[in-house]
Protein backbone atom coordinates (compact mmCIF):
# COMPACT_ATOMS: atom_id res chain seq x y z
CA UNK A 1 0.00 0.00 0.00
CA UNK A 2 1.26 3.47 -0.91
CA UNK A 3 0.23 6.66 0.90
CA UNK A 4 1.05 10.20 -0.18
CA UNK A 5 1.43 12.79 2.59
CA UNK A 6 0.87 16.36 1.42
CA UNK A 7 1.72 19.42 3.49
CA UNK A 8 0.83 22.90 2.28
CA UNK A 9 2.25 26.38 2.75
CA UNK A 10 4.48 27.29 5.69
CA UNK A 11 4.52 23.78 7.13
CA UNK A 12 8.22 23.72 6.14
CA UNK A 13 8.64 26.45 8.81
CA UNK A 14 7.43 24.28 11.71
CA UNK A 15 9.45 24.68 14.91
CA UNK A 16 10.73 28.09 13.89
CA UNK A 17 7.97 30.29 15.36
CA UNK A 18 4.62 29.91 17.18
CA UNK A 19 5.73 26.84 19.20
CA UNK A 20 2.69 27.35 21.45
CA UNK A 21 0.42 26.54 18.47
CA UNK A 22 2.47 24.14 16.34
CA UNK A 23 5.08 22.74 18.79
CA UNK A 24 8.86 22.93 18.74
CA UNK A 25 9.57 20.17 16.26
CA UNK A 26 10.55 20.83 12.67
CA UNK A 27 9.22 19.64 9.31
CA UNK A 28 12.19 17.23 9.07
CA UNK A 29 11.20 15.78 12.46
CA UNK A 30 7.67 15.28 11.09
CA UNK A 31 8.93 13.48 7.98
CA UNK A 32 11.18 11.26 10.11
CA UNK A 33 8.27 10.37 12.42
CA UNK A 34 5.96 9.57 9.48
CA UNK A 35 8.58 7.47 7.65
CA UNK A 36 9.44 5.48 10.75
CA UNK A 37 5.76 4.80 11.55
CA UNK A 38 4.99 3.80 7.95
CA UNK A 39 7.96 1.42 7.92
CA UNK A 40 6.78 -0.21 11.17
CA UNK A 41 3.40 -1.06 9.59
CA UNK A 42 4.83 -1.96 6.21
CA UNK A 43 3.42 0.94 4.20
CA UNK A 44 5.19 2.95 1.50
CA UNK A 45 4.96 6.70 2.10
CA UNK A 46 6.00 9.73 0.14
CA UNK A 47 6.11 13.09 1.92
CA UNK A 48 5.57 16.19 -0.22
CA UNK A 49 5.47 19.83 0.88
CA UNK A 50 4.79 22.89 -1.24
CA UNK A 51 3.97 26.52 -0.68
CA UNK A 52 2.25 26.66 -4.08
CA UNK A 53 -1.39 25.74 -4.68
CA UNK A 54 -0.83 24.62 -8.30
CA UNK A 55 2.06 22.33 -7.33
CA UNK A 56 -0.22 20.67 -4.78
CA UNK A 57 -2.89 20.21 -7.48
CA UNK A 58 -0.20 18.72 -9.81
CA UNK A 59 0.96 16.32 -7.09
CA UNK A 60 -2.59 15.11 -6.41
CA UNK A 61 -3.19 14.53 -10.14
CA UNK A 62 0.11 12.60 -10.43
CA UNK A 63 -1.08 10.26 -7.66
CA UNK A 64 -3.90 8.99 -9.90
CA UNK A 65 -3.57 5.25 -10.48
CA UNK A 66 -0.50 4.72 -8.29
CA UNK A 67 -1.51 5.75 -4.76
CA UNK A 68 -3.92 4.09 -2.31
CA UNK A 69 -4.47 7.01 0.04
CA UNK A 70 -3.68 10.65 0.66
CA UNK A 71 -3.09 12.38 3.99
CA UNK A 72 -3.39 16.11 3.45
CA UNK A 73 -2.72 19.16 5.58
CA UNK A 74 -3.34 21.93 3.06
CA UNK A 75 -2.21 24.62 5.55
CA UNK A 76 -3.89 27.96 4.84
CA UNK A 77 -5.23 26.58 1.51
CA UNK A 78 -7.61 24.51 3.65
CA UNK A 79 -9.69 27.65 4.11
CA UNK A 80 -9.59 28.93 0.52
CA UNK A 81 -8.84 26.30 -2.11
CA UNK A 82 -11.58 24.93 -4.30
CA UNK A 83 -8.78 23.86 -6.70
CA UNK A 84 -7.33 21.42 -4.16
CA UNK A 85 -10.82 20.12 -3.33
CA UNK A 86 -11.52 19.55 -7.04
CA UNK A 87 -8.14 17.82 -7.53
CA UNK A 88 -8.97 15.36 -4.73
CA UNK A 89 -12.40 14.75 -6.27
CA UNK A 90 -10.85 14.26 -9.72
CA UNK A 91 -8.51 11.45 -8.63
CA UNK A 92 -10.99 9.80 -6.24
CA UNK A 93 -8.26 8.55 -3.87
CA UNK A 94 -9.42 8.01 -0.25
CA UNK A 95 -8.11 10.99 1.72
CA UNK A 96 -7.82 12.17 5.31
CA UNK A 97 -7.49 15.83 6.33
CA UNK A 98 -5.06 16.61 9.15
CA UNK A 99 -4.34 19.79 11.12
CA UNK A 100 -1.70 20.07 13.79
CA UNK A 101 -3.64 22.72 15.68
CA UNK A 102 -7.27 22.69 16.76
CA UNK A 103 -8.45 24.85 13.86
CA UNK A 104 -12.05 24.94 15.11
CA UNK A 105 -11.09 26.72 18.32
CA UNK A 106 -8.99 29.42 16.60
CA UNK A 107 -10.01 32.34 14.37
CA UNK A 108 -13.40 32.13 12.64
CA UNK A 109 -11.85 31.87 9.13
CA UNK A 110 -9.99 28.67 10.10
CA UNK A 111 -13.32 26.89 10.66
CA UNK A 112 -13.93 26.75 6.90
CA UNK A 113 -12.42 23.74 5.16
CA UNK A 114 -12.99 23.00 1.48
CA UNK A 115 -11.09 19.69 1.49
CA UNK A 116 -13.36 18.42 4.28
CA UNK A 117 -16.10 18.22 1.63
CA UNK A 118 -14.12 15.33 0.11
CA UNK A 119 -12.00 13.76 2.88
CA UNK A 120 -13.59 10.80 4.67
CA UNK A 121 -12.04 11.83 7.98
CA UNK A 122 -10.74 15.00 9.63
CA UNK A 123 -8.18 14.96 12.46
CA UNK A 124 -7.39 18.24 14.23
CA UNK A 125 -5.46 19.39 17.29
CA UNK A 126 -3.47 16.20 17.83
CA UNK A 127 -0.10 17.60 16.76
CA UNK A 128 2.17 15.34 14.71
CA UNK A 129 0.32 12.25 16.00
CA UNK A 130 -2.63 13.27 13.81
CA UNK A 131 -0.64 12.24 10.72
CA UNK A 132 0.03 8.78 12.19
CA UNK A 133 -3.65 8.36 13.05
CA UNK A 134 -4.54 9.38 9.47
CA UNK A 135 -2.11 6.80 8.03
CA UNK A 136 -3.66 4.13 10.28
CA UNK A 137 -7.16 5.10 9.07
CA UNK A 138 -6.12 4.62 5.44
CA UNK A 139 -4.28 1.38 6.29
CA UNK A 140 -7.56 -0.09 7.57
CA UNK A 141 -9.05 0.32 4.05
CA UNK A 142 -6.73 -2.41 2.69
O1 LIG B 1 -3.03 23.46 12.19
C1 LIG B 1 -2.63 23.23 11.06
O2 LIG B 1 -2.04 22.20 10.75
C2 LIG B 1 -2.79 24.31 9.96
O3 LIG B 1 -3.11 23.64 8.75
C3 LIG B 1 -1.43 25.01 9.86
C4 LIG B 1 -1.43 26.21 8.92
C5 LIG B 1 -2.62 27.14 9.19
O4 LIG B 1 -2.70 28.14 8.19
C6 LIG B 1 -3.94 26.38 9.23
O5 LIG B 1 -4.99 27.28 9.54
C7 LIG B 1 -3.90 25.28 10.27
C8 LIG B 1 -0.13 27.00 9.10
C9 LIG B 1 1.13 26.19 8.78
C10 LIG B 1 2.32 26.54 9.61
O6 LIG B 1 2.48 27.92 9.83
C11 LIG B 1 3.50 28.36 10.62
C12 LIG B 1 3.36 29.63 11.15
C13 LIG B 1 4.36 30.13 11.95
C14 LIG B 1 5.50 29.38 12.19
C15 LIG B 1 5.65 28.13 11.65
C16 LIG B 1 4.65 27.62 10.85
Amino acid sequence: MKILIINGPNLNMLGIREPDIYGKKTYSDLVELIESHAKSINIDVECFQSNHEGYIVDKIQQAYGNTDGIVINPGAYTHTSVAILDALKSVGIPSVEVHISDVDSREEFRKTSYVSLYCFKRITGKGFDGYLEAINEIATLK
Side-chain angles (χ1 to χ4, degrees):
M1 170 174 262
K2 182 175 175 197
I3 300 179
L4 172 64
I5 316 288
I6 297 177
N7 278 291
N10 298 309
L11 285 151
N12 56 321
M13 300 298 278
L14 287 171
I16 294 172
R17 289 191 55 214
E18 302 198 88
D20 45 322
I21 301 174
Y22 301 114
K24 286 186 186 156
K25 298 223 164 136
T26 65
Y27 178 71
S28 304
D29 294 330
L30 175 61
V31 171
E32 213 172 284
L33 179 76
I34 288 169
E35 288 179 347
S36 126
H37 177 69
K39 198 172 175 192
S40 76
I41 57 169
N42 210 22
I43 277 174
D44 271 356
V45 277
E46 179 186 354
C47 293
F48 173 81
Q49 188 278 328
S50 178
N51 295 322
H52 305 278
E53 186 175 23
Y55 290 166
I56 295 171
V57 170
D58 288 344
K59 194 70 188 175
I60 293 168
Q61 290 183 4
Q62 286 156 13
Y64 182 69
N66 60 53
T67 300
D68 304 295
I70 295 176
V71 173
I72 185 161
N73 181 349
Y77 290 140
T78 306
H79 320 301
T80 62
S81 182
V82 178
I84 293 174
L85 168 64
D86 284 347
L88 290 171
K89 284 183 174 176
S90 76
V91 295
I93 298 170
S95 300
V96 177
E97 175 184 2
V98 171
H99 297 285
I100 295 167
S101 66
D102 180 8
V103 275
D104 293 323
S105 66
R106 298 179 64 191
E107 301 95 326
E108 205 55 33
F109 67 86
R110 292 189 207 273
K111 292 181 182 164
T112 299
S113 168
Y114 286 95
V115 296
S116 71
L117 298 172
Y118 175 77
C119 292
F120 73 89
K121 189 167 172 90
R122 182 167 201 246
I123 300 166
T124 64
K126 295 191 174 175
F128 286 8
D129 286 347
Y131 291 86
L132 308 187
E133 196 178 315
I135 289 169
N136 293 344
E137 281 289 337
I138 291 170
T140 63
L141 303 175
K142 264 198 266 207

